[in-house]
Amino acid sequence: MKTDRVRPATLGLTLILLGACHARAGESKSPPPSSAAAARATIDSATASRIALARVPGGRVQSAELEEEGGRLLYSLDIRPARGTGIEEVQVDAHSGAVIGQSHENPAQEADESRQEQDTATH
């Protein structure tokens, strides 16, 4: 199986466009990853989205960000399920494409997280 290697400029543009789409839809926009982080990713955000959506069939990606957690580079994707309430957060390793975490946030948890992000952004 061939592993796609994406040029950093292509990955950066993909992430910028993804962020712009979410900003237009009224979603909160997270800061773009550093170019150094984007250059280290071996899969792009579109691939990470396909991998995450396979875990939540019929879902829609609400937001996606490339971030570093615990020394690990990963994509964190919030997916709105086709049925039910809340958000599925799926974390995909930016090197291997492996799903390394998945959790469900109910509407109350989602609202709390949104408030925390807004507080962080204003301070």
Side-chain angles (χ1 to χ4, degrees):
M1 180 178 196
K2 181 181 172 187
T3 302
D4 292 338
R5 290 204 173 257
V6 178
R7 294 175 191 233
T10 303
L11 177 61
L13 180 58
T14 300
L15 293 170
I16 290 168
L17 292 173
L18 181 62
C21 291
H22 290 296
R24 274 187 252 128
E27 297 290 329
S28 63
K29 184 177 159 190
S30 57
S34 70
S35 58
R40 292 190 343 254
T42 56
I43 66 168
D44 62 11
S45 62
T47 301
S49 292
R50 282 193 302 276
I51 292 166
L53 286 169
R55 299 295 290 263
V56 187
R60 280 191 356 230
V61 175
Q62 296 293 292
S63 66
E65 65 181 306
L66 179 62
E67 59 190 17
E68 208 161 341
E69 282 188 12
R72 188 178 220 174
L73 190 61
L74 58 91
Y75 289 95
S76 179
L77 298 102
D78 287 346
I79 301 174
R80 174 103 32 217
R83 294 194 176 111
T85 60
I87 290 288
E88 287 293 318
E89 181 179 3
V90 180
Q91 295 178 327
V92 178
D93 186 285
H95 296 291
S96 68
V99 173
I100 56 176
Q102 182 173 349
S103 61
H104 180 78
E105 293 179 357
N106 64 38
Q109 291 167 318
E110 188 181 350
D112 285 344
E113 184 176 310
S114 180
R115 276 192 295 278
Q116 289 173 359
E117 287 173 359
Q118 287 175 354
D119 288 345
T120 303
T122 59
H123 294 285

